[in-house]
Amino acid sequence: MHLTELLRSRTVGSIPMQRENTFRPAGHAGPNPLRPADGAHAGTSLPGNPLAPAAARRFVRAAFAAWTENGVPVAACLTERLADDAVVLVSELVTNAVVHAGTHVEVDCRLEAALGPDGDLDEGAAVVIEVRDHHPGRTVQGDSAGGPAPALAEYGRGLQLVACLSESWGITYRPGSKTVWARLPVDGVDAARQIEVYAGEQALQRGLRVADILSPQPKKGREHGDWGNRGALAFLAEASDLLAGQLDEEMVAALAGQLLVPRLADWCAVWLNDESDRHGRGTGPTAPRLARVWHHSESRIEELRRVLEKDLPVIPGPLHGGPVPVPWPFDGIGDSSGTALAYRLVAGGRALGTLLLGRTGLMRFPDEVTGLLEDFSRRVALAIGAARQYARQATISRVLQRGLLPSSMAEVPGVESALVYEPRDNGLAGGDFYDIFPAGDGRWCFALGDVCGNGPEAAVVTGLARPWLRLLAREGYQVSDVLDRLNRLLLDDAMEAAESAARAVAAVEMRDLDADGSPARFLSLLYGELEPSPEGVRCTLACAGHPLPLLLSPDGVVRPAAAPQVLLGVLDQPGYESESFVLGSGETLLCVTDGVTERRSGVRMLDDGDGLSAALAACGGLSAGMVAERIRRLVHDFAETPVDDDLALLVLQAR
């Protein structure tokens, strides 16, 4: 979906929120009552999991880009620096909500501004970021109104950063929800500087600014001031973007080392806990394993690994993510003395691992660096937690996949068949399915279907539809009757049980729910029956809301082999009809899902102007397997971007 369309589809109403029982930190004014600029208001809902902060950052950048693209009257005030500040704010606020509230969150981003008679930007314009969670009883961590935070609390200094970057911020408590908001001041700028890139010295100055914010006791003439000069904001932004995109915990550990060394440490190591060990104190098979070791000198990595494998740093006390000084673990690696810190990687109340890093020639790490590393370790922990959650879901999905699809396709006498099946999510259970099976009495049946939607909900429907097809076919029902009864089953109360199961399996997959909260249960299906005979193979088929099958004759003529009919699960009594023809020697039947016909390249689709028919016409004289491979390659080569839908195609060719 185009960026602007995405934002439109998730845009909420432009009525300013009413604020009640709002806490405002000392020295901060309340929200300015300016109205949102026309078209400059967007909102989205995110699941309360570790992927939410990265999604929120992308959403805010997308909002700024869309406002600029749409020519919002005050878009000239949107500089790259303002966008960066907004991204930092929303990242910290969403992270705080996810870690400490644990509910799904709503994010609002709007530009509050007014234009004067001369078209200039009136004073008081601001970008407002609001993050709302649904755990109002949980205080905001880092909220100065709540008194001093516990020494071992699991959070960084995000709200300190929010307070310093914004002109005002506050917290609104309501029944059932809590909203943290922040206002970023906007200054009118020259159009020539609109969305400019701040780099070099400017980026360095921003890093210095944030380093000072994060430092608990900034001191002039710090002995180790070079640590603060490394650009804390750029570092955290880079780390967040890189870590959020990783779905493998080993890669997260590797990236953590590469980000830290040599920027903030001379060496580092990451231990990962066994998933069954909540506190990271396991021994034997459940003992933490040394996943990655990194040293600024690659020739010393193996030597460093041998030293660190002897002992895991012990972090006493309850779970927390703060720095713990540990003894200098070795001699003979680099300088003989230095300082080392350990951070327990904690997310969701679970100890996921340990981060150990050291710097030679220092007696202690500067305070601003330990605070920055604490924020970094929190991001690493969230990324590891997200990777493990994805791995668990992937394992479950692959187990489901093995049950959703046939282990092998039946061989039909007199017919050569070829199949291409590529799920969108790297082998995870999806909405496309296929089958070829014997139905008895010299009949073979085939099916190619696509459940509307994707993910676990679609997989549940797939897991029910394929066995129903086999059962109905083997009971002797004709093609049209099979579709009628399958349609009835999709509308029956039995489907309610499937929906409940789907919601239980994927309660957090909110994007796949329709407006009334129910998973989509519509099914497009191409279903047919083959009966070999001396004259050829008699084919009877029906197409319910599916891309039409195409028949290629030996002389290169291509025609649709069925008429379009309504989706399954839409109408109570659709009255499906079937069509019959003889698949003669050398004739080829191509059946595809919409992952083929709707493959996009910009605004064009592969099947525009009968593109698929033209491609099939060029396959004359090819075997079934070669036809399938040529169409598969055409789909992949049609656009530079990866295929973003399940891809399935079935080729049946009479010998």
Side-chain angles (χ1 to χ4, degrees), residues 616-628:
L616 181 60
C619 295
L622 299 182
S623 66
M626 295 177 68
V627 172

Side-chain angles (χ1 to χ4, degrees), residues 104-122:
H104 72 278
V105 296
E106 284 93 35
V107 179
D108 279 356
C109 179
R110 65 179 181 271
L111 177 58
E112 292 184 345
L115 295 176
D118 55 358
D120 293 334
L121 195 66
D122 276 358

Side-chain angles (χ1 to χ4, degrees), residues 19 28 60 111 195 216 222 260 299 350 396 466 468-469 585:
R19 307 184 192 279
H28 291 279
V60 169
L111 177 58
I195 308 297
R222 289 182 297 222
L260 287 175
S299 62
R350 298 181 65 94
I396 294 172
R466 194 174 68 85
W468 284 340
L469 279 174
S585 178

